[in-house]
Amino acid sequence: MLCNKLLQALLLLTTLGISLANLNTFADTDIFTALDDPSTTNKNFEGNIQANYNAQSGHTRNSNLTAGTTMTWFQQTNAYSFWGEAANNSSADQRSSEKYQVGTRARYNLSTENFLFAQTSWLSDRYNSYRSRNTFTAGYGRQIFNGPIHILRVECGPSIRHAKYKNGGNTIKTLAYGASYYYYQLTDNTKIIQALSLLANDNTIVNSETGLTVSISGHFALKLAYNIIWNENPLKSTPKHADIKTSISLLYNMQ
């Protein structure tokens, strides 16, 4: 019943989108946004590397660096993925944010429409109070649209999260997880994605990524992404309910 409610809510959010007003400089976008259906690919491997760097000097000194990668290996009915991200920002030669995260995921197709999955992730974000945060999730998913123009998957399951905080202490929580991923091939060179994840217990957290990717050549592409995290009960050290990050990145596709 809980899975059905989560899937219905995520389908509605995928259709309508999310609009949040609060603004901050960094978003915790712990959300898997790669295609990983082994039944729709003829490749053994698919991956990309993305990076962006900005620096300003003169009256003020600011810099930010973000780099990330996503890689997926395909078998006949299985897919195995790895993703990682590192981000650093500084202002007036003082570090203002620092975040690292990595994750792995496995998917097993029961049929062309149904699959099982398991994924785990690690996050360190000490400027947002986390020394480390480990999350493990497993469950059931359904492939609703399978391309080539539209791809939509939804999934749900139980999750466990262990967090250690910068000021000491730790928590272990069980959560209900739900997620959706929608892909639309707008033109031969342009695609749109909308991904959502939801983790709920006494504190509901919603992650959203809206992205536009434009291929430049066989290996390079530009990606415009709009990431949001909404936290129902944020930590006292980071009291805002929503963080928003807008980014433009150069992607190198590994084939």
Side-chain angles (χ1 to χ4, degrees):
M1 180 67 69
L2 179 59
C3 281
N4 288 335
K5 290 183 178 179
L6 285 170
L7 293 178
Q8 290 173 5
L10 286 162
L11 280 171
L12 179 61
L13 287 171
T14 301
T15 304
L16 299 179
I18 291 181
S19 177
L20 296 172
N22 292 332
L23 182 65
N24 209 325
T25 58
F26 201 83
D28 169 18
T29 53
D30 187 6
I31 180 172
F32 182 74
T33 58
L35 296 173
D36 68 343
D37 184 359
S39 69
T40 59
T41 181
N42 296 320
K43 303 176 183 178
N44 295 322
F45 171 79
E46 185 174 79
N48 65 68
I49 299 173
Q50 58 181 298
N52 63 70
Y53 174 74
N54 296 294
Q56 179 182 355
S57 61
H59 295 293
T60 60
R61 295 180 62 87
N62 301 290
S63 67
N64 63 75
L65 171 65
T66 303
T69 184
T70 301
M71 295 179 283
T72 302
W73 292 264
F74 298 97
Q75 297 178 350
Q76 185 174 1
T77 58
N78 300 328
Y80 305 96
S81 300
F82 166 84
W83 71 94
E85 181 185 27
N88 286 274
N89 296 281
S90 64
S91 178
D93 295 324
Q94 297 292 321
R95 186 68 55 83
S96 57
S97 68
E98 182 179 5
K99 174 184 173 182
Y100 308 97
Q101 64 176 348
V102 294
T104 61
R105 173 181 166 97
R107 166 171 167 161
Y108 172 69
N109 276 11
L110 298 169
S111 66
T112 55
E113 292 86 18
N114 304 291
F115 63 90
L116 301 176
F117 73 95
Q119 62 189 41
T120 183
S121 63
W122 171 86
L123 166 78
S124 176
D125 189 2
R126 62 190 182 92
Y127 284 85
N128 277 333
S129 299
Y130 288 107
R131 286 179 54 202
S132 66
R133 194 183 71 189
N134 301 281
T135 307
F136 175 77
T137 306
Y140 161 80
R142 185 167 180 83
Q143 199 74 40
I144 297 175
F145 301 139
N146 225 1
I149 303 300
H150 298 273
I151 294 175
L152 173 63
R153 71 166 186 258
V154 292
E155 55 195 36
C156 69
S159 183
I160 298 174
R161 172 169 284 177
H162 177 222
K164 293 183 178 180
Y165 301 101
K166 182 179 67 174
N167 297 325
N170 63 88
T171 59
I172 298 177
K173 294 184 177 181
T174 58
L175 309 101
Y177 165 87
S180 68
Y181 178 91
Y182 176 71
Y183 165 106
Y184 175 63
Q185 189 73 42
L186 186 63
T187 67
D188 290 341
N189 300 321
T190 307
K191 64 182 180 182
I192 298 171
I193 66 167
Q194 173 62 59
L196 294 167
S197 72
L198 182 150
L199 288 164
N201 56 3
D202 56 333
N203 177 29
T204 299
I205 301 173
V206 178
N207 283 283
S208 170
E209 176 172 306
T210 303
L212 175 68
T213 302
V214 180
S215 297
I216 301 172
S217 65
H219 286 285
F220 288 95
L222 286 175
K223 180 181 179 182
L224 172 64
Y226 184 72
N227 298 108
I228 302 172
I229 177 174
W230 182 83
N231 196 328
E232 182 183 14
N233 297 311
L235 298 173
K236 291 182 180 180
S237 57
T238 54
K240 291 190 176 182
H241 288 277
D243 279 342
I244 298 175
K245 181 179 74 172
T246 303
S247 62
I248 300 177
S249 303
L250 178 66
L251 278 70
Y252 175 78
N253 295 312
M254 299 178 288
Q255 297 179 359

